[in-house]
Amino acid sequence: MYFDRRNWVDSYIGSLRSLLTHPGAFYASLPKAHDYANSLWFLIITVSVPTLVIAAGTLGISLFLAPMFWLFVVAGAWLWAVYLRWVIRVFAKKEVPTAHAFEICAYANAPLLLAWVPLVNAVVGIWSLVLMWLGLTRNLRLSSGMALIILLVPFLIMTISGGVLLALLSTYAVQNGMAPPDIL
């Protein structure tokens, strides 16, 4: 079962159940999306659940940041879909519509439902990558290695560039007398 915004409660629960119990089969039979409507609503609902749980814990104060959080998640998923479309076209020589890549991304973000649980964020990220990998291998029929490279290269680039940026900022701070004070 896949998400349908016209029957959103039942289809959301059904698609989550299918995605959690048989993710490979879920992605293998995922129909190609021709628009963003269903996957966008699935992603918004997925992001809304932890946002509302966190808001309850902060007495509603975090709701002021909710629209920005939703915007970042949706924009990030769309940018990731554009990246997937490009890299698959260039390196795997397959055409994937951006709307379908976005659909794979939206379903891969289902673990965000647990983002409100302390110390689970690392698992949520890894789980999302595994679901994305399953989407690429089972639905788009990419090889395991190609899917792994497609997913890991951006993270390696971000990690390396983040490390270089941190080193440059630290060097600048030390050279300009802005080193943190000694604790002892």
Side-chain angles (χ1 to χ4, degrees):
M1 174 179 234
Y2 298 99
F3 181 75
D4 182 4
R5 69 186 184 281
R6 293 170 297 213
N7 182 17
W8 68 273
V9 174
D10 292 335
S11 66
Y12 187 81
I13 293 169
S15 60
L16 275 180
R17 185 181 309 119
S18 297
L19 188 60
L20 294 174
T21 57
H22 304 330
F26 177 86
Y27 275 116
S29 61
L30 179 67
K32 187 175 284 189
H34 299 290
D35 61 34
Y36 293 93
N38 285 328
S39 49
L40 179 63
W41 278 107
F42 180 87
L43 186 59
I44 288 173
I45 293 168
T46 301
V47 173
S48 296
V49 171
T51 303
L52 293 174
V53 171
I54 292 169
T58 62
L59 302 176
I61 294 172
S62 64
L63 281 179
F64 292 112
L65 300 175
M68 187 171 49
F69 181 64
W70 290 327
L71 178 67
F72 283 145
V73 170
V74 170
W78 184 79
L79 287 172
W80 189 257
V82 169
Y83 161 75
L84 286 177
R85 179 179 178 266
W86 173 79
V87 76
I88 291 168
R89 183 172 37 93
V90 170
F91 295 107
K93 307 294 186 218
K94 292 185 177 190
E95 283 296 325
V96 177
T98 307
H100 187 56
F102 184 84
E103 180 180 41
I104 291 171
C105 293
Y107 283 120
N109 278 303
L112 282 176
L113 286 170
L114 298 176
W116 61 273
V117 180
L119 304 175
V120 177
N121 286 334
V123 175
V124 166
I126 293 168
W127 190 6
S128 290
L129 281 175
V130 169
L131 289 176
M132 183 76 65
W133 180 84
L134 283 171
L136 295 176
T137 57
R138 303 290 166 83
N139 187 267
L140 300 179
R141 308 277 189 248
L142 297 179
S143 71
S144 298
M146 175 67 77
L148 191 62
I149 290 170
I150 286 171
L151 295 175
L152 290 182
V153 165
F155 289 104
L156 291 174
I157 290 171
M158 288 182 346
T159 302
I160 291 169
S161 59
V164 168
L165 180 62
L166 184 62
L168 290 172
L169 289 173
S170 298
T171 303
Y172 177 81
V174 168
Q175 289 178 347
N176 290 298
M178 292 186 273
D182 292 330
I183 295 174
L184 298 174

